[in-house]
Amino acid sequence: MNPSPRKRVALFTDGAALGNPGPGTTNNRMELKAAIEGLKALKEPAEVDLYTDSHYLKKAFTEGWLEGWRKRGWRTAEGKPVKNRDLWEALLLAMAPHRVRFHFVKHHHHHH
């Protein structure tokens, strides 16, 4: 008996911080939080198309940044600690049950 197919979900993130960086936060942190919360809201494993206007979020996965950071013990190529490590780790955990594909959309390009 085959398991039922995963549902397909489109997730759109647009994190922002007023006066970037705002009080104790940045656009990058807000973008990561938006992705984490969106994935955590899913009740079952799904095929997720995640649409973001954040190069930071998308390139971490599509250009291997995240893989490199993890291999270097959460250090950048320059040997500096990776910013937002707490959120990257939370995002990886939130992604684990799902199959996530990242798509880049231009800033404030609305889908109808």
Side-chain angles (χ1 to χ4, degrees), residues 19-36:
N20 185 35
T25 190
T26 63
N27 283 354
N28 286 341
R29 285 190 69 80
M30 295 307 291
E31 200 73 40
L32 285 165
K33 285 182 180 183
I36 291 162

Side-chain angles (χ1 to χ4, degrees), residues 42-92:
L42 300 175
K43 304 291 185 219
E44 60 190 68
E47 296 275 347
V48 181
D49 287 296
L50 196 152
Y51 295 86
T52 179
D53 64 0
S54 166
H55 287 287
Y56 179 66
L57 178 56
K58 181 178 181 281
K59 288 183 177 183
F61 291 94
T62 62
E63 299 197 5
W65 295 357
L66 196 59
E67 189 178 331
W69 296 338
R70 291 172 78 188
K71 282 181 181 172
R72 291 187 294 270
W74 291 98
R75 299 259 167 199
T76 65
E78 296 79 33
K80 296 177 182 171
V82 170
K83 290 180 182 176
N84 305 313
R85 175 181 174 177
D86 57 330
L87 294 178
W88 286 115
E89 289 180 326
L91 178 58
L92 289 171

Side-chain angles (χ1 to χ4, degrees), residues 1 9-11 22 26 30 42 49 58-59 64 72-73 81 93 95 98 101-102 104 109-111:
M1 186 169 163
V9 176
L11 180 62
T26 63
M30 295 307 291
L42 300 175
D49 287 296
K58 181 178 181 281
K59 288 183 177 183
R72 291 187 294 270
L93 197 60
M95 287 173 60
H98 310 290
R101 280 182 297 278
F102 287 86
F104 182 76
H109 180 83
H110 299 288
H111 285 74

